[in-house]
Amino acid sequence: MTEHDIPLNGEFLVKKSNEARWASSLNARMDNRFATAFVIACVLSHISTIYMAASIGTDFWYEYRSPVQENSSDLNKSLWEDFINDEADEKTYNDALFRYSGTVGLWRRCITVPKNTHWYAPPERTESFDVVTKCMSFTLNEQFMEKFVDPGNHNSGIDLFRTYLWRCQFLLPFVSLGLMCFGALIGLCILHLLAGLCTLGTVSCFVAGIKLLHQKLEPPENVSGEFGWSFCLACVSAPLQFVASALFIWAAHTNRKEYTLMKAYRVA
């Protein structure tokens, strides 16, 4: 051993010690950033899933507000009967929605009727009375039924655009939920992004369908309409899914990149 070997070995040990400390620090920072992004993404993904499931299962996607009907004429009874009919067409149940402060969801339609009276019997005329909500579910046949150019007129021809808008707003939410659940099981980030696109497509189809319907069946002047809280839940769910997918993708990319850099530095 020469007199020059001792300082050279000392410098080598110091260099290796610094490299080890730097690698440990880098690894800790990498783990913290990855874990933080992953946890936030998981929380956002769970919240968006809950919001989307709640919006699908509730009936307040669109709400109509009309004056309370204080008596029940033959017209009112006819509307009630048509509304609960499984074969009610689009114009029939929308007329009832306009008249009786109805709400529309992806699966059901609801109207408010006088309480403490039989469904078909006219209530006694009073200054005020309570109302109760009555709902009817859309059957699968109704979900996939063609929409007509002139609603209620089967001879006016099929409106393909509105028909496929309705079918998409029914199918896309379930595709979105399936993608989110499947993505959580297998850990594939891109599925969360696709789920967000499906949710956004659901919202867009519903808005377009409502606007086109009101162009053909314009609500009366004393009837107001607005999007309900179920629709708002779906609107909030879409950006949450996008943010969650972005965080998942960023965490995976950052983790892989920094691990590669650290490994290359150690080799060097």
Side-chain angles (χ1 to χ4, degrees):
M1 178 180 296
T2 64
E3 60 181 0
H4 299 290
D5 292 336
I6 297 178
L8 287 176
N9 290 336
E11 292 177 1
F12 177 78
L13 293 175
V14 170
K15 182 179 179 181
K16 285 296 183 181
S17 177
N18 291 337
E19 290 177 359
R21 287 196 297 269
W22 180 87
S24 177
S25 176
L26 179 60
N27 192 29
R29 290 198 304 271
M30 178 184 64
D31 290 342
N32 289 336
R33 291 165 57 187
F34 172 78
T36 301
F38 184 78
V39 169
I40 294 175
C42 288
V43 171
L44 294 179
S45 179
H46 280 85
I47 293 175
S48 66
T49 303
I50 293 172
Y51 281 5
M52 195 62 205
S55 68
I56 293 175
T58 50
D59 311 314
F60 297 90
W61 279 69
Y62 199 84
E63 304 178 26
Y64 296 99
R65 295 287 181 267
S66 60
V68 176
Q69 303 296 321
E70 295 188 357
N71 53 44
S72 182
S73 63
D74 292 339
L75 173 61
N76 294 347
K77 289 190 293 184
S78 176
L79 286 174
W80 288 351
E81 293 173 0
D82 291 338
F83 183 81
I84 65 172
N85 191 339
D86 291 337
E87 298 180 356
D89 59 27
E90 188 178 29
K91 184 179 186 305
T92 300
Y93 67 73
N94 274 287
D95 287 342
L97 291 171
F98 294 159
R99 190 173 182 85
Y100 293 107
S101 297
T103 61
V104 180
L106 300 181
W107 276 95
R108 296 199 304 176
R109 56 186 186 269
C110 303
I111 57 175
T112 55
V113 295
K115 190 178 181 181
N116 299 326
T117 60
H118 295 291
W119 178 253
Y120 303 107
E124 297 180 359
R125 185 177 181 84
T126 56
E127 293 184 359
S128 63
F129 54 85
D130 295 331
V131 293
V132 65
T133 301
K134 299 290 185 179
C135 297
M136 284 296 297
S137 298
F138 291 109
T139 64
L140 285 178
N141 287 335
E142 288 178 313
Q143 295 285 10
F144 291 97
M145 185 181 297
E146 293 85 359
K147 305 298 179 182
F148 297 97
V149 175
D150 182 12
N153 183 2
H154 293 196
N155 296 322
S156 60
I158 298 175
D159 190 334
L160 290 177
F161 186 53
R162 291 201 309 119
T163 298
Y164 285 106
L165 281 177
W166 183 276
R167 292 175 182 178
C168 287
Q169 78 180 30
F170 164 67
L171 294 174
L172 286 177
F174 297 100
V175 176
S176 176
L177 281 179
L179 288 173
M180 283 188 286
C181 295
F182 192 61
L185 289 175
I186 66 175
L188 189 57
C189 307
I190 194 66
L191 293 183
H192 293 275
L193 179 61
L194 295 177
L197 291 175
C198 289
T199 302
L200 185 61
T202 301
V203 171
S204 302
C205 289
F206 186 82
V207 172
I210 288 291
K211 297 299 182 183
L212 291 174
L213 175 64
H214 288 170
Q215 290 177 6
K216 299 176 181 295
L217 289 177
E218 187 175 355
E221 293 182 357
N222 60 347
V223 176
S224 61
E226 60 182 9
F227 293 100
W229 58 267
S230 300
F231 174 82
C232 295
L233 286 179
C235 292
V236 174
S237 177
L240 290 180
Q241 292 167 10
F242 287 135
V243 174
S245 64
L247 287 174
F248 278 131
I249 294 172
W250 176 86
H253 177 74
T254 302
N255 185 46
R256 187 184 304 109
K257 181 179 179 181
E258 292 192 2
Y259 178 79
T260 303
L261 290 175
M262 184 177 64
K263 185 175 179 181
Y265 185 84
R266 286 176 175 175
V267 172

